[in-house]
Amino acid sequence: MSAPAQRVNQPNNPEIPDHTRRSELIGQWLSEGELAYEIREEPDGSVVIQQQENAAWTYVINNVRWESDRLRFDEYAIYKGPNELTSLRTHPFSGVRTRMTLRFTDDPQRLDQELVARISGQTIRENGELVRAP
């Protein structure tokens, strides 16, 4: 049996295209008090988004685009697990595409976040909030 189509190796291309509000995103963003994303300007003037990695997970971000004032991108969490295991089959969520949306709110210190993923034939939708780190 082959893996679902969204469970493939993807190139990392976290550059955020130019937009009138792009600079408002620069900073560190927390989810439930933990660092979730860092959005930073690179020396060449480009702006990139990076998910916070940890000992068990690394992240690939690509297909970054604007739809009106919403930033959308695809995120793939790749399970490294103990002993740096990297097989896509070591964790059921590893390599699954998560479609992310970040939306501006009236508060410049907060963003609305929506994620949609399809895992084992089931669609998962979650809404949350990101808060700018102090």
Side-chain angles (χ1 to χ4, degrees), residues 46-91:
S46 64
V47 175
V48 297
I49 183 169
Q50 182 177 5
Q51 168 72 292
Q52 180 65 32
E53 296 186 5
N54 59 48
W57 295 93
T58 188
Y59 297 89
V60 171
I61 294 175
N62 61 30
N63 195 23
V64 183
R65 64 211 180 275
W66 289 98
E67 292 180 10
S68 187
D69 280 347
R70 295 177 179 182
L71 182 66
R72 295 186 184 264
F73 54 95
D74 294 338
E75 179 179 288
Y76 299 82
I78 310 298
Y79 181 67
K80 297 184 292 186
N83 302 318
E84 298 299 315
L85 297 175
T86 57
S87 167
L88 288 178
R89 302 208 190 284
T90 61
H91 191 285

Side-chain angles (χ1 to χ4, degrees), residues 116-132:
V116 178
R118 188 158 178 83
I119 301 169
S120 301
Q122 180 179 2
T123 300
I124 297 171
R125 295 179 189 275
E126 291 185 14
N127 294 304
E129 179 180 69
L130 298 177
V131 177
R132 188 182 301 274

Side-chain angles (χ1 to χ4, degrees), residues 10 16 22 28-29 34 36 49 61 79 87 114 119 129:
Q10 293 290 323
I16 300 174
R22 180 175 74 173
Q28 294 182 326
W29 294 92
E34 298 290 325
I49 183 169
I61 294 175
Y79 181 67
S87 167
E114 176 186 299
I119 301 169
E129 179 180 69

